[in-house]
Amino acid sequence: MPDFETLLNVQGMMFILMGVGLLLCRLGILGSAQRKGLSDLVLNVVLPCNIANSFRIAFSREILLSFSKILLVSILVQLLCLALSRLLYRRLEPGRRAVLTYGTLCSNAGLIGNPVAEGLYGAEGLLYASIYLIPQRVMMWSAGIRCFTQEKNRAKAAVKVLTHPCIVAVYAGLLLMLTQWELPVLLDRTLKSVSGCNTALSMIAVGAILGEVNPRETVNRQIAAYTLLRLIGIPLIVFLGCLLAGLTPLVTGVSVILAGMPAGSTTAILAASYQGDAAFASKCVFFSTLCSLISVPLWCAVLLLAA
C-alpha cells in the first residue's frame, strides 16, 4: 500500500503554503506589484531551474527501450488532453479557455504523483514516473505556454514560445539527460538550491492571488466540471486503455496515477504573468488539489484491486 501519510503531508503542505500567501495578501504585505514580481521571479528564474533539474535522471538507450511503453502511453495521454481541451473549451471566453486548456494539459504530477508512484511500486515506480513526465514537461512549455501568449502573428508567437526561459530550460534539461553530463559542483548546488524554492514560492503566489477572491466564489460549474475531468475522466480513459492494451500493472498504475493529478500551480503563475484570469486559475488549482485528497487514494485502491 502507498504511504498515505506522505501523500497527505505533501498536499497539506501545499494548502499551508497557499494559506501563507493568502494571509500575506490580506495583511497587505503582498500587494498587486509584489504579487506580479513574485510571479515573474517564479516564471523566469525558479521554474527554469526546476525544469532543468527535473530532467537530470538516469538515462540511456537501454532505459529508453525498457521504458518505451510508458513513454508511449504518456505521449498518447498528452495528445488526448490536447484533443479534449480543443473540443471542450472552444466556446469559452479566451481567459478561461487558456486556463482550462493549460490545466488539462499540465497537472501537478511531478510534486504529488512521484511520491504516490514510489509508495505504490517502490523505486521502480519512481523511475517509471520520471520517464512518464518527460512528454508532459515538453508539452507544458510548448503547447501549454502557447495558451497564454496574446501574440496574433504566428511567427512572433513561435519565437516568444521558443525563447521563453522555461522552454530554454527544457532544451538544457534534455541535453543534460541525453548526455548524462555532470555539472560542476558549484553549478549543481546552485541549480538544486534555486529549484528547491519552486513549490514554496509557487504555492505562496497562488495563495496571494486567492486572497483577492471571495470565498463564496471559489467553486462554480466550470471549475467543478474541470476537476471531474482532471481527476476522474482522464485517468479513467487511461485506465481502460491500458487494460485493453494488456499493459503490466506497473505501467498501468503509474500512468493512471500521474494522469489523475490536480492542476499544477504553474496554471495560476502563467495566468498572473500574462495578465490572464489569474483568480479563476487559482480557484482551479485550489479546488482540484482539495478534491484530489479523495480521488488519489481511491485510484490507488482501484489499482491495487485490479493488479
Side-chain angles (χ1 to χ4, degrees):
M1 289 290 288
D3 186 351
F4 286 119
E5 183 179 355
T6 299
L7 171 62
L8 292 175
N9 284 337
V10 170
Q11 291 175 297
M13 173 195 67
M14 293 171 64
F15 281 110
I16 290 172
L17 290 169
M18 280 193 280
V20 170
L22 190 151
L23 180 63
L24 291 175
C25 176
R26 294 288 170 83
L27 292 175
I29 297 174
L30 281 179
S32 57
Q34 288 80 13
R35 288 195 298 275
K36 177 67 166 60
L38 179 59
S39 296
D40 289 344
L41 173 65
V42 171
L43 189 61
N44 295 303
V45 179
V46 179
L47 259 175
C49 289
N50 182 262
I51 292 165
N53 192 56
S54 70
F55 278 95
R56 299 175 67 193
I57 59 175
F59 191 80
S60 65
R61 183 173 177 273
E62 290 73 23
I63 289 177
L64 178 61
L65 292 174
S66 299
F67 297 100
S68 57
K69 288 183 179 179
I70 198 165
L71 189 64
L72 178 59
V73 170
S74 179
I75 292 171
L76 291 175
V77 170
Q78 290 304 122
L79 293 175
L80 168 68
C81 292
L82 185 61
L84 287 173
S85 62
R86 290 185 174 178
L87 177 67
L88 298 175
Y89 311 134
R90 57 185 176 181
R91 295 183 180 179
L92 299 181
E93 57 92 9
R96 293 195 172 187
R97 182 170 67 241
V99 168
L100 292 175
T101 298
Y102 184 87
T104 302
L105 288 172
C106 312
S107 70
N108 215 356
L111 179 62
I112 303 177
N114 278 346
V116 179
E118 186 176 19
L120 273 174
Y121 303 107
E124 191 176 11
L126 182 60
L127 185 54
Y128 269 77
S130 299
I131 300 297
Y132 178 97
L133 285 170
I134 294 171
Q136 177 175 295
R137 287 183 171 124
V138 173
M139 178 70 83
M140 72 189 293
W141 297 115
S142 51
I145 202 170
R146 179 79 169 80
C147 300
F148 292 96
T149 56
Q150 302 298 317
E151 182 61 63
K152 294 183 179 180
N153 184 302
R154 290 191 175 185
K156 289 184 179 180
V159 171
K160 280 186 177 181
V161 171
L162 293 172
T163 58
H164 190 278
C166 291
I167 280 288
V168 174
V170 171
Y171 306 151
L174 286 170
L175 180 64
L176 289 173
M177 182 181 70
L178 294 172
T179 62
Q180 292 293 289
W181 180 50
E182 291 292 332
L183 292 175
V185 174
L186 180 61
L187 289 178
D188 176 73
R189 290 182 177 176
T190 302
L191 183 66
K192 288 179 178 177
S193 179
V194 177
S195 172
C197 300
N198 179 59
T199 300
L201 292 181
S202 295
M203 299 316 297
I204 288 172
V206 172
I209 297 168
L210 279 171
E212 293 186 328
V213 176
N214 185 333
R216 296 179 180 178
E217 300 175 355
T218 303
V219 184
N220 60 34
R221 192 177 301 174
Q222 288 178 343
I223 293 173
Y226 161 76
T227 300
L228 187 64
L229 174 69
R230 178 74 265 175
L231 301 182
I232 303 298
I234 293 173
L236 179 60
I237 294 171
V238 174
F239 179 61
L240 295 176
C242 289
L243 289 182
L244 289 173
L247 298 179
T248 65
L250 176 57
V251 171
T252 300
V254 172
S255 300
V256 171
I257 287 297
L258 269 66
M261 289 293 114
S265 58
T266 46
T267 312
I269 299 296
L270 283 167
S273 295
Y274 287 98
Q275 290 76 52
D277 196 337
F280 179 73
S282 296
K283 294 174 190 177
C284 289
V285 174
F286 175 82
F287 187 68
S288 63
T289 302
L290 180 64
C291 291
S292 71
L293 289 168
I294 300 172
S295 66
V296 173
L298 283 176
W299 275 118
C300 289
V302 169
L303 290 167
L304 289 170
L305 289 172

